[in-house]
């Protein structure tokens, strides 16, 4: 009983880029800056492709909510081995207000429409660090969730997932369908090869808007300000231990 | 008296180092352009100045005490900005020491230029002050190539010049600044289906790799730096900026003019500073499979390699690890390979090509008493396999905590490899040393990490002897004294053996033409005369 997998991916600023805050302090500079697929989503796509290679999955649909430029992100996923894509187009100037709650509603709707067995996401996006989408999607669908997955196996009754938690590793079993999110150690994603990049250009990508899925885009969170971390102050050299103790007392670190 | 140049008062410390007695008050004169090997010492009456001796000499260092040192620093600050010039102790210390066993000498000043134009101005200033120039990439060399043996100005071109200037996907080429390393470049291109395959052990800078003619585990199929460099932008000692294959040129081949690209590749900073490189990219292979196979003896393993090459199997990687190295890897990386010589192999191609390649190599290995092949196909399994190989150096150091390693590097025609390896292992055993062996056997290139206690000069001497003997044998067998690490300081005598006096003299003449004041990285590759 081969599974149908819906993989979500997001176009984010490349992890290697030095982030700069916009002058209006309401966001970061994105124009002219290198973007790529969220690294955790690469891991999610890779896991879906491996499920297909293990003959556990029969079709992989990749979906992204993003501006026109996000078409590149879908193509990368298709080059890695996804079968077809859905591009939910958000105008570039509305990206800031398109938040995890909206993405979850889109994914939940698509999961139902496409009748998928697994929704696979990255555990978080490196631009907003929200770590909410997988959980909210599961809740909207009322499906079990296996988040921070570091190993996924199929059982007769459903899935066995090993999760990375603070204290170590936790093994859970879920029924299907389920929502999963990929953690860092789940796998190491493959590189897209030129022949596959060329093949990906021929794979089908359907475009739609959030309204087509009945999702209203009004923001629920307002970003008040974005600031740089405080500039590191110069250290002070002390001449001897007495000086050090005196300075510690002055700054209130020692009551003696 | 006829005198050119500005009189400079040099500190006693410097002059003592140059061989003068500490009690002589000396006025040293830095003359203008001199014949590189002329040293003239004369007593000259200089009107109005108290002096006992005047020296015309090839460059001495810009110095702490004299005004000339301060002035040099000011002139450099005016070009690169005061934040990008440093003579702080920890900074100069770091910039004089690479990762080899030879203690390095610190430069006097380190500058961090931000553009080719700035590098050019820095060179002009150093030329005017007659001060050595040492180019610096990542400091990951092994032969003391960045040691400032005559002091001078170290030009760190990596810190502020670290952009990928262009990537030409369809032409399979990229133009990069010196601060870009192989890993940075491959990360940038990871979604485009391209990669840069020259992978020396450390994450070296691409331009540093050009300067040493570096190579790596993929050379057997994809070539070394020399086969993967189309053009270089170089700043000469006098500040001139040239493009070795033509301005902005990046065709796959050219018959235009002298091959200056080849001249500067491997010149180890002795002819100019590389400020940009145009390099070849390759397509990421469709299918990649890695395997590890053990053999009873090194001879078996090397015979397998020779036969595989003779069958024209386009192997991507063929690495030999001897039994000592396997033990080290096991202990360091927590693995459990049998402690016998192993080949680490990698196959690239389409799925069907990889299948047929592996079948051929399997048969050859079996004919040579090879064991079971252990496969790795998934990305993370392959990464784990090759990490064990790439960490060989650290695994070796861990064999004997506190020790350092003299890493040798010779390359011979592949047919000569079995004999050289066997002879070297015997030599190591005879001298009672620990010397794990790791080799790019597909190229006939291998390294031994000869371990020595830094507090034991006798042991170091033995290591040096074994290393020299190995290099001499390699030369006698039709090979070279350095396959990929460069000559630096460590192998200057061997270079003369390999090329003969006339060969080296030609090199000296070329250097004399491009660097008449002998400022570019003095004391490396070959001596002045």
């Amino acid at each position: 009983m081969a599974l149908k997998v819906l993989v979500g991916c997001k176009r984010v600023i490349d992890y290697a880029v030095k982030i700069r805050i916009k002058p209006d302090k309401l966001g970061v500079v994105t124009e002219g800056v290198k973007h790529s697929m969220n690294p955790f989503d690469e891991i999610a796509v890779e896991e879906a492709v491996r499920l297909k290679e293990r003959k556990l999955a029969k079709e992989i649909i990749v979906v992204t909510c993003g501006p026109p430029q996000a078409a590149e992100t879908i193509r990368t996923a298709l080059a890695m081995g996804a079968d077809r894509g859905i591009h939910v187009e958000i105008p570039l100037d509305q990206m800031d207000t398109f938040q995890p709650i909206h993405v979850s509603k889109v994914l939940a709707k698509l999961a139902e429409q496409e009748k998928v067995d697994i929704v696979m996401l990255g555990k978080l996006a490196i631009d907003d660090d929200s770590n909410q989408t997988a959980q909210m999607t599961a809740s909207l669908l009322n499906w079990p969730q296996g988040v921070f997955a570091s190993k996924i196996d199929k059982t007769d009754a459903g899935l066995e997932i090993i999760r990375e938690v603070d204290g170590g590793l936790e093994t859970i079993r879920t029924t299907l369908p389920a929502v999963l999110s990929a953690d860092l150690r789940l796998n190491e994603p493959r590189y897209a090869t030129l022949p596959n990049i060329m093949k990906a250009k021929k794979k089908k990508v359907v475009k739609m808007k959030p309204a087509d899925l009945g999702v209203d885009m009004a923001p629920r969170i307002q970003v008040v300000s974005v600031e740089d971390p405080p500039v590191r102050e110069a250290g002070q050299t002390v001449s001897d231990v007495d000086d050090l103790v005196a300075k510690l007392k002055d700054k209130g670190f020692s009551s003696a | 008296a006829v005198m050119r140049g500005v009189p400079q008062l040099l500190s006693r410390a410097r002059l003592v180092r140059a061989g003068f007695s500490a009690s002589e008050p000396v006025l040293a004169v830095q003359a203008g352009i001199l014949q590189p090997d002329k040293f003239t010492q004369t007593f000259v009456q200089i009107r109005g100045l108290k002096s006992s001796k005047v020296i015309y000499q090839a460059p001495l260092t810009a110095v702490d005490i004299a005004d000339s040192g301060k002035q040099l620093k000011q002139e450099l600050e005016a070009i690169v900005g005061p934040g990008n010039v440093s003579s702080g102790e920890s900074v100069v210390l770091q910039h004089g020491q690479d990762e080899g066993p030879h203690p390095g000498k610190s430069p006097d000043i380190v500058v961090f230029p931000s553009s080719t134009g700035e590098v050019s101005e820095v060179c002009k200033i150093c030329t005017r002050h007659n001060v050595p120039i040492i180019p610096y990439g990542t400091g990951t060399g092994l032969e003391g190539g960045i040691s400032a043996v005559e002091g001078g100005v170290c030009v760190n071109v990596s810190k502020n010049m670290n952009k990928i200037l262009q990537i030409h996907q369809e032409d399979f080429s990229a133009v990069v600044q010196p601060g870009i390393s192989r890993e940075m470049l491959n990360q940038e291109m990871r979604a485009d289906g391209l990669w840069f395959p020259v992978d020396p052990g450390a994450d070296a800078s691409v331009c540093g790799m050009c300067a040493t003619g570096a190579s790596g585990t993929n050379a057997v199929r994809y070539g070394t730096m020399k086969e993967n460099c189309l053009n270089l932008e170089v700043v000469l000692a006098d500040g001139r900026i040239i493009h070795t294959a033509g301005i902005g040129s990046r065709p796959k081949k050219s018959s235009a003019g002298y091959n200056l690209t080849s001249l500067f590749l491997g010149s180890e900073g002795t002819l100019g500073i590389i400020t940009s490189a145009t390099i070849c990219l390759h397509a990421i292979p469709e299918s990649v499979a890695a395997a590890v196979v053990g053999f009873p003896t090194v001879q078996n393993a090397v015979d397998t390699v020779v036969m595989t090459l003779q069958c024209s199997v386009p192997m991507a990687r063929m690495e030999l690890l001897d039994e000592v190295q396997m033990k080290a890897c096991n202990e360091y990386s927590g693995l459990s390979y049998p402690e016998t010589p192993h080949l680490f192999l990698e196959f690239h191609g389409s799925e069907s090509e990889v299948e047929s390649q592996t079948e051929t190599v399997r048969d050859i290995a079996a004919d040579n008493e090879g064991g079971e092949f252990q496969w790795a196909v998934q990305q993370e399994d392959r990464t784990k396999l090759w990490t064990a190989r790439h960490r060989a150096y650290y695994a070796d150091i861990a064999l004997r905590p506190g020790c350092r390693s003299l890493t040798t590097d010779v390359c011979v025609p592949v047919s000569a490899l079995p004999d050289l390896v066997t002879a070297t292992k015997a030599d190591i055993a005879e001298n009672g040393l620990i010397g794990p062996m790791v080799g790019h056997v597909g190229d006939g290139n291998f390294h031994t990490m000869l371990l020595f206690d830094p507090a034991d000069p006798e042991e170091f001497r033995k290591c040096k002897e074994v290393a020299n003997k190995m290099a001499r044998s390699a030369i006698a067998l039709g090979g070279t004294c350095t396959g990929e690490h460069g000559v630096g300081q460590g192998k200057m005598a061997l270079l003369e053996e390999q090329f003969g006096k006339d060969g080296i003299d030609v090199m000296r003449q070329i250097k004399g033409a491009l660097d008449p004041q002998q400022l570019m990285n003095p004391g490396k590759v070959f001596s002045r005369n």
Side-chain angles (χ1 to χ4, degrees), chain A residues 14-15 34 36 42 50 187-189 191-194 197, chain B residues 187-188 190-193 283-285 378-380 383:
Chain A
D14 189 273
Y15 75 89
K34 179 166 204 259
S36 50
E42 285 180 351
R50 289 191 191 185
N187 61 50
E188 210 178 298
Y191 293 103
T193 67
L194 284 171
I197 291 172
Chain B
Q187 274 303 305
E188 179 73 19
R190 68 191 188 280
D192 300 330
I284 294 176
Q378 301 285 32
Q379 182 78 35
E380 60 265 19
T383 303

PDB file of all heavy atoms in Angstrom, chain A residues 14-15 34 36 42 50 187-189 191-194 197, chain B residues 187-188 190-193 283-285 378-380 383:
ATOM      1  N   ASP A  14      19.489  32.409   1.913  1.00  0.00           N
ATOM      2  CA  ASP A  14      20.484  31.348   2.069  1.00  0.00           C
ATOM      3  C   ASP A  14      21.198  31.447   3.425  1.00  0.00           C
ATOM      4  O   ASP A  14      21.503  32.544   3.895  1.00  0.00           O
ATOM      5  CB  ASP A  14      21.507  31.464   0.929  1.00  0.00           C
ATOM      6  CG  ASP A  14      22.455  30.278   0.898  1.00  0.00           C
ATOM      7  OD1 ASP A  14      23.471  30.341   1.614  1.00  0.00           O
ATOM      8  OD2 ASP A  14      22.165  29.303   0.195  1.00  0.00           O
ATOM      9  N   TYR A  15      21.446  30.276   4.020  1.00  0.00           N
ATOM     10  CA  TYR A  15      21.974  30.278   5.392  1.00  0.00           C
ATOM     11  C   TYR A  15      23.337  30.932   5.489  1.00  0.00           C
ATOM     12  O   TYR A  15      23.752  31.371   6.563  1.00  0.00           O
ATOM     13  CB  TYR A  15      22.054  28.841   5.937  1.00  0.00           C
ATOM     14  CG  TYR A  15      23.186  28.024   5.376  1.00  0.00           C
ATOM     15  CD1 TYR A  15      24.440  28.019   5.974  1.00  0.00           C
ATOM     16  CD2 TYR A  15      23.024  27.258   4.224  1.00  0.00           C
ATOM     17  CE1 TYR A  15      25.482  27.289   5.464  1.00  0.00           C
ATOM     18  CE2 TYR A  15      24.058  26.523   3.713  1.00  0.00           C
ATOM     19  CZ  TYR A  15      25.295  26.540   4.328  1.00  0.00           C
ATOM     20  OH  TYR A  15      26.321  25.813   3.807  1.00  0.00           O
ATOM     21  N   LYS A  34      20.947  36.345  -1.930  1.00  0.00           N
ATOM     22  CA  LYS A  34      20.797  34.956  -2.392  1.00  0.00           C
ATOM     23  C   LYS A  34      19.764  34.212  -1.540  1.00  0.00           C
ATOM     24  O   LYS A  34      19.806  34.257  -0.314  1.00  0.00           O
ATOM     25  CB  LYS A  34      22.131  34.236  -2.310  1.00  0.00           C
ATOM     26  CG  LYS A  34      22.009  32.789  -2.763  1.00  0.00           C
ATOM     27  CD  LYS A  34      23.354  32.136  -3.032  1.00  0.00           C
ATOM     28  CE  LYS A  34      23.154  30.977  -3.993  1.00  0.00           C
ATOM     29  NZ  LYS A  34      23.137  29.695  -3.403  1.00  0.00           N
ATOM     30  N   SER A  36      17.628  30.360  -1.113  1.00  0.00           N
ATOM     31  CA  SER A  36      17.635  28.941  -1.474  1.00  0.00           C
ATOM     32  C   SER A  36      16.571  28.213  -0.651  1.00  0.00           C
ATOM     33  O   SER A  36      15.875  28.826   0.155  1.00  0.00           O
ATOM     34  CB  SER A  36      19.022  28.337  -1.257  1.00  0.00           C
ATOM     35  OG  SER A  36      19.486  28.666   0.016  1.00  0.00           O
ATOM     36  N   GLU A  42      14.977  20.725   2.627  1.00  0.00           N
ATOM     37  CA  GLU A  42      15.785  19.838   1.783  1.00  0.00           C
ATOM     38  C   GLU A  42      15.800  18.445   2.388  1.00  0.00           C
ATOM     39  O   GLU A  42      15.693  17.438   1.688  1.00  0.00           O
ATOM     40  CB  GLU A  42      17.226  20.356   1.681  1.00  0.00           C
ATOM     41  CG  GLU A  42      17.399  21.562   0.783  1.00  0.00           C
ATOM     42  CD  GLU A  42      18.850  22.032   0.729  1.00  0.00           C
ATOM     43  OE1 GLU A  42      19.694  21.534   1.504  1.00  0.00           O
ATOM     44  OE2 GLU A  42      19.130  22.901  -0.097  1.00  0.00           O
ATOM     45  N   ARG A  50      13.560   9.187  -0.552  1.00  0.00           N
ATOM     46  CA  ARG A  50      14.040   7.877  -0.094  1.00  0.00           C
ATOM     47  C   ARG A  50      12.887   6.931   0.164  1.00  0.00           C
ATOM     48  O   ARG A  50      13.001   5.725  -0.087  1.00  0.00           O
ATOM     49  CB  ARG A  50      14.875   8.022   1.162  1.00  0.00           C
ATOM     50  CG  ARG A  50      16.198   8.666   0.870  1.00  0.00           C
ATOM     51  CD  ARG A  50      17.130   8.586   2.042  1.00  0.00           C
ATOM     52  NE  ARG A  50      18.287   9.443   1.817  1.00  0.00           N
ATOM     53  CZ  ARG A  50      19.314   9.506   2.636  1.00  0.00           C
ATOM     54  NH1 ARG A  50      19.342   8.763   3.727  1.00  0.00           N
ATOM     55  NH2 ARG A  50      20.331  10.308   2.369  1.00  0.00           N
ATOM     56  N   ASN A 187      18.588  12.856   7.618  1.00  0.00           N
ATOM     57  CA  ASN A 187      19.388  12.364   6.480  1.00  0.00           C
ATOM     58  C   ASN A 187      20.289  13.485   5.987  1.00  0.00           C
ATOM     59  O   ASN A 187      20.237  14.600   6.511  1.00  0.00           O
ATOM     60  CB  ASN A 187      18.470  11.897   5.334  1.00  0.00           C
ATOM     61  CG  ASN A 187      17.595  13.025   4.808  1.00  0.00           C
ATOM     62  OD1 ASN A 187      18.050  14.124   4.500  1.00  0.00           O
ATOM     63  ND2 ASN A 187      16.316  12.759   4.699  1.00  0.00           N
ATOM     64  N   GLU A 188      21.125  13.185   5.012  1.00  0.00           N
ATOM     65  CA  GLU A 188      21.897  14.237   4.356  1.00  0.00           C
ATOM     66  C   GLU A 188      21.375  14.342   2.926  1.00  0.00           C
ATOM     67  O   GLU A 188      21.458  13.368   2.170  1.00  0.00           O
ATOM     68  CB  GLU A 188      23.375  13.867   4.348  1.00  0.00           C
ATOM     69  CG  GLU A 188      24.282  15.077   4.372  1.00  0.00           C
ATOM     70  CD  GLU A 188      25.741  14.706   4.422  1.00  0.00           C
ATOM     71  OE1 GLU A 188      26.148  14.072   5.421  1.00  0.00           O
ATOM     72  OE2 GLU A 188      26.467  15.033   3.460  1.00  0.00           O
ATOM     73  N   PRO A 189      20.793  15.483   2.548  1.00  0.00           N
ATOM     74  CA  PRO A 189      20.119  15.567   1.249  1.00  0.00           C
ATOM     75  C   PRO A 189      21.083  15.402   0.080  1.00  0.00           C
ATOM     76  O   PRO A 189      22.251  15.789   0.174  1.00  0.00           O
ATOM     77  CB  PRO A 189      19.528  16.983   1.230  1.00  0.00           C
ATOM     78  CG  PRO A 189      19.667  17.500   2.605  1.00  0.00           C
ATOM     79  CD  PRO A 189      20.743  16.751   3.288  1.00  0.00           C
ATOM     80  N   TYR A 191      22.509  16.150  -3.785  1.00  0.00           N
ATOM     81  CA  TYR A 191      22.637  17.338  -4.625  1.00  0.00           C
ATOM     82  C   TYR A 191      21.841  17.121  -5.896  1.00  0.00           C
ATOM     83  O   TYR A 191      21.794  16.018  -6.418  1.00  0.00           O
ATOM     84  CB  TYR A 191      24.099  17.575  -4.980  1.00  0.00           C
ATOM     85  CG  TYR A 191      24.947  17.950  -3.800  1.00  0.00           C
ATOM     86  CD1 TYR A 191      25.794  17.032  -3.219  1.00  0.00           C
ATOM     87  CD2 TYR A 191      24.889  19.238  -3.254  1.00  0.00           C
ATOM     88  CE1 TYR A 191      26.580  17.369  -2.125  1.00  0.00           C
ATOM     89  CE2 TYR A 191      25.663  19.582  -2.173  1.00  0.00           C
ATOM     90  CZ  TYR A 191      26.502  18.647  -1.608  1.00  0.00           C
ATOM     91  OH  TYR A 191      27.266  18.967  -0.535  1.00  0.00           O
ATOM     92  N   ALA A 192      21.246  18.169  -6.408  1.00  0.00           N
ATOM     93  CA  ALA A 192      20.552  18.064  -7.693  1.00  0.00           C
ATOM     94  C   ALA A 192      21.597  17.940  -8.796  1.00  0.00           C
ATOM     95  O   ALA A 192      22.545  18.712  -8.834  1.00  0.00           O
ATOM     96  CB  ALA A 192      19.708  19.311  -7.919  1.00  0.00           C
ATOM     97  N   THR A 193      21.450  16.961  -9.679  1.00  0.00           N
ATOM     98  CA  THR A 193      22.402  16.808 -10.775  1.00  0.00           C
ATOM     99  C   THR A 193      21.839  17.466 -12.016  1.00  0.00           C
ATOM    100  O   THR A 193      20.636  17.621 -12.158  1.00  0.00           O
ATOM    101  CB  THR A 193      22.668  15.323 -11.066  1.00  0.00           C
ATOM    102  OG1 THR A 193      21.463  14.750 -11.583  1.00  0.00           O
ATOM    103  CG2 THR A 193      23.099  14.596  -9.814  1.00  0.00           C
ATOM    104  N   LEU A 194      22.730  17.822 -12.954  1.00  0.00           N
ATOM    105  CA  LEU A 194      22.286  18.526 -14.159  1.00  0.00           C
ATOM    106  C   LEU A 194      21.240  17.740 -14.949  1.00  0.00           C
ATOM    107  O   LEU A 194      20.226  18.315 -15.374  1.00  0.00           O
ATOM    108  CB  LEU A 194      23.490  18.868 -15.042  1.00  0.00           C
ATOM    109  CG  LEU A 194      24.329  20.053 -14.516  1.00  0.00           C
ATOM    110  CD1 LEU A 194      25.605  20.193 -15.318  1.00  0.00           C
ATOM    111  CD2 LEU A 194      23.521  21.336 -14.590  1.00  0.00           C
ATOM    112  N   ILE A 197      18.057  18.191 -13.148  1.00  0.00           N
ATOM    113  CA  ILE A 197      17.574  19.565 -13.253  1.00  0.00           C
ATOM    114  C   ILE A 197      16.877  19.744 -14.589  1.00  0.00           C
ATOM    115  O   ILE A 197      15.823  20.385 -14.694  1.00  0.00           O
ATOM    116  CB  ILE A 197      18.727  20.573 -13.083  1.00  0.00           C
ATOM    117  CG1 ILE A 197      19.236  20.541 -11.641  1.00  0.00           C
ATOM    118  CG2 ILE A 197      18.285  21.979 -13.442  1.00  0.00           C
ATOM    119  CD1 ILE A 197      20.482  21.360 -11.413  1.00  0.00           C
TER     120      ILE A 197
ATOM    121  N   GLN B 187      29.090  24.833  -1.631  1.00  0.00           N
ATOM    122  CA  GLN B 187      27.828  25.166  -0.972  1.00  0.00           C
ATOM    123  C   GLN B 187      27.013  26.125  -1.825  1.00  0.00           C
ATOM    124  O   GLN B 187      25.808  25.982  -1.984  1.00  0.00           O
ATOM    125  CB  GLN B 187      28.109  25.824   0.383  1.00  0.00           C
ATOM    126  CG  GLN B 187      28.308  24.835   1.516  1.00  0.00           C
ATOM    127  CD  GLN B 187      27.135  23.913   1.687  1.00  0.00           C
ATOM    128  OE1 GLN B 187      25.990  24.347   1.846  1.00  0.00           O
ATOM    129  NE2 GLN B 187      27.376  22.621   1.610  1.00  0.00           N
ATOM    130  N   GLU B 188      27.684  27.119  -2.391  1.00  0.00           N
ATOM    131  CA  GLU B 188      27.016  28.136  -3.199  1.00  0.00           C
ATOM    132  C   GLU B 188      26.351  27.501  -4.422  1.00  0.00           C
ATOM    133  O   GLU B 188      25.272  27.931  -4.832  1.00  0.00           O
ATOM    134  CB  GLU B 188      28.070  29.158  -3.642  1.00  0.00           C
ATOM    135  CG  GLU B 188      27.554  30.284  -4.502  1.00  0.00           C
ATOM    136  CD  GLU B 188      26.727  31.293  -3.729  1.00  0.00           C
ATOM    137  OE1 GLU B 188      26.837  31.330  -2.487  1.00  0.00           O
ATOM    138  OE2 GLU B 188      25.993  32.050  -4.376  1.00  0.00           O
ATOM    139  N   ARG B 190      25.354  24.322  -4.813  1.00  0.00           N
ATOM    140  CA  ARG B 190      24.786  22.995  -4.571  1.00  0.00           C
ATOM    141  C   ARG B 190      23.459  22.759  -5.276  1.00  0.00           C
ATOM    142  O   ARG B 190      23.112  21.624  -5.584  1.00  0.00           O
ATOM    143  CB  ARG B 190      24.654  22.736  -3.062  1.00  0.00           C
ATOM    144  CG  ARG B 190      23.624  23.585  -2.361  1.00  0.00           C
ATOM    145  CD  ARG B 190      23.786  23.436  -0.843  1.00  0.00           C
ATOM    146  NE  ARG B 190      22.703  24.073  -0.129  1.00  0.00           N
ATOM    147  CZ  ARG B 190      22.649  25.379   0.101  1.00  0.00           C
ATOM    148  NH1 ARG B 190      23.606  26.157  -0.295  1.00  0.00           N
ATOM    149  NH2 ARG B 190      21.621  25.890   0.756  1.00  0.00           N
ATOM    150  N   ALA B 191      22.687  23.821  -5.537  1.00  0.00           N
ATOM    151  CA  ALA B 191      21.399  23.615  -6.195  1.00  0.00           C
ATOM    152  C   ALA B 191      21.518  23.673  -7.713  1.00  0.00           C
ATOM    153  O   ALA B 191      20.539  23.481  -8.415  1.00  0.00           O
ATOM    154  CB  ALA B 191      20.398  24.660  -5.711  1.00  0.00           C
ATOM    155  N   ASP B 192      22.724  23.925  -8.227  1.00  0.00           N
ATOM    156  CA  ASP B 192      22.865  24.125  -9.666  1.00  0.00           C
ATOM    157  C   ASP B 192      23.425  22.920 -10.389  1.00  0.00           C
ATOM    158  O   ASP B 192      23.683  22.979 -11.578  1.00  0.00           O
ATOM    159  CB  ASP B 192      23.785  25.323  -9.939  1.00  0.00           C
ATOM    160  CG  ASP B 192      23.232  26.597  -9.329  1.00  0.00           C
ATOM    161  OD1 ASP B 192      21.998  26.689  -9.231  1.00  0.00           O
ATOM    162  OD2 ASP B 192      24.030  27.464  -8.950  1.00  0.00           O
ATOM    163  N   GLY B 193      23.676  21.838  -9.665  1.00  0.00           N
ATOM    164  CA  GLY B 193      24.177  20.635 -10.313  1.00  0.00           C
ATOM    165  C   GLY B 193      25.660  20.694 -10.659  1.00  0.00           C
ATOM    166  O   GLY B 193      26.151  19.885 -11.430  1.00  0.00           O
ATOM    167  N   ALA B 283      30.129  18.732 -13.664  1.00  0.00           N
ATOM    168  CA  ALA B 283      28.758  18.350 -13.344  1.00  0.00           C
ATOM    169  C   ALA B 283      28.761  17.354 -12.197  1.00  0.00           C
ATOM    170  O   ALA B 283      29.575  16.432 -12.174  1.00  0.00           O
ATOM    171  CB  ALA B 283      28.107  17.727 -14.571  1.00  0.00           C
ATOM    172  N   ILE B 284      27.872  17.554 -11.237  1.00  0.00           N
ATOM    173  CA  ILE B 284      27.732  16.566 -10.165  1.00  0.00           C
ATOM    174  C   ILE B 284      27.277  15.262 -10.809  1.00  0.00           C
ATOM    175  O   ILE B 284      26.325  15.245 -11.582  1.00  0.00           O
ATOM    176  CB  ILE B 284      26.692  17.034  -9.125  1.00  0.00           C
ATOM    177  CG1 ILE B 284      27.205  18.282  -8.404  1.00  0.00           C
ATOM    178  CG2 ILE B 284      26.400  15.938  -8.111  1.00  0.00           C
ATOM    179  CD1 ILE B 284      26.200  18.869  -7.434  1.00  0.00           C
ATOM    180  N   PRO B 285      27.982  14.158 -10.521  1.00  0.00           N
ATOM    181  CA  PRO B 285      27.628  12.911 -11.202  1.00  0.00           C
ATOM    182  C   PRO B 285      26.240  12.423 -10.812  1.00  0.00           C
ATOM    183  O   PRO B 285      25.788  12.644  -9.689  1.00  0.00           O
ATOM    184  CB  PRO B 285      28.706  11.933 -10.720  1.00  0.00           C
ATOM    185  CG  PRO B 285      29.307  12.555  -9.521  1.00  0.00           C
ATOM    186  CD  PRO B 285      29.096  14.018  -9.610  1.00  0.00           C
ATOM    187  N   GLN B 378      24.196   6.102   0.181  1.00  0.00           N
ATOM    188  CA  GLN B 378      23.506   7.306   0.661  1.00  0.00           C
ATOM    189  C   GLN B 378      24.512   8.398   0.998  1.00  0.00           C
ATOM    190  O   GLN B 378      25.642   8.113   1.407  1.00  0.00           O
ATOM    191  CB  GLN B 378      22.694   6.984   1.918  1.00  0.00           C
ATOM    192  CG  GLN B 378      21.645   5.913   1.725  1.00  0.00           C
ATOM    193  CD  GLN B 378      20.437   6.417   0.958  1.00  0.00           C
ATOM    194  OE1 GLN B 378      20.557   7.281   0.090  1.00  0.00           O
ATOM    195  NE2 GLN B 378      19.278   5.883   1.257  1.00  0.00           N
ATOM    196  N   GLN B 379      24.086   9.656   0.843  1.00  0.00           N
ATOM    197  CA  GLN B 379      24.970  10.805   1.040  1.00  0.00           C
ATOM    198  C   GLN B 379      25.677  10.743   2.392  1.00  0.00           C
ATOM    199  O   GLN B 379      26.889  10.915   2.475  1.00  0.00           O
ATOM    200  CB  GLN B 379      24.133  12.085   0.917  1.00  0.00           C
ATOM    201  CG  GLN B 379      24.925  13.361   1.046  1.00  0.00           C
ATOM    202  CD  GLN B 379      25.676  13.722  -0.206  1.00  0.00           C
ATOM    203  OE1 GLN B 379      25.213  13.485  -1.318  1.00  0.00           O
ATOM    204  NE2 GLN B 379      26.874  14.261  -0.055  1.00  0.00           N
ATOM    205  N   GLU B 380      24.914  10.489   3.474  1.00  0.00           N
ATOM    206  CA  GLU B 380      25.544  10.553   4.786  1.00  0.00           C
ATOM    207  C   GLU B 380      26.489   9.378   5.037  1.00  0.00           C
ATOM    208  O   GLU B 380      27.476   9.521   5.758  1.00  0.00           O
ATOM    209  CB  GLU B 380      24.511  10.633   5.920  1.00  0.00           C
ATOM    210  CG  GLU B 380      23.550   9.472   6.003  1.00  0.00           C
ATOM    211  CD  GLU B 380      22.255   9.782   5.275  1.00  0.00           C
ATOM    212  OE1 GLU B 380      22.258  10.691   4.457  1.00  0.00           O
ATOM    213  OE2 GLU B 380      21.267   9.085   5.530  1.00  0.00           O
ATOM    214  N   THR B 383      29.620  10.371   3.219  1.00  0.00           N
ATOM    215  CA  THR B 383      30.295  11.421   3.990  1.00  0.00           C
ATOM    216  C   THR B 383      31.067  10.804   5.144  1.00  0.00           C
ATOM    217  O   THR B 383      32.214  11.155   5.397  1.00  0.00           O
ATOM    218  CB  THR B 383      29.271  12.433   4.527  1.00  0.00           C
ATOM    219  OG1 THR B 383      28.544  12.959   3.435  1.00  0.00           O
ATOM    220  CG2 THR B 383      29.946  13.560   5.272  1.00  0.00           C
TER     221      THR B 383
END
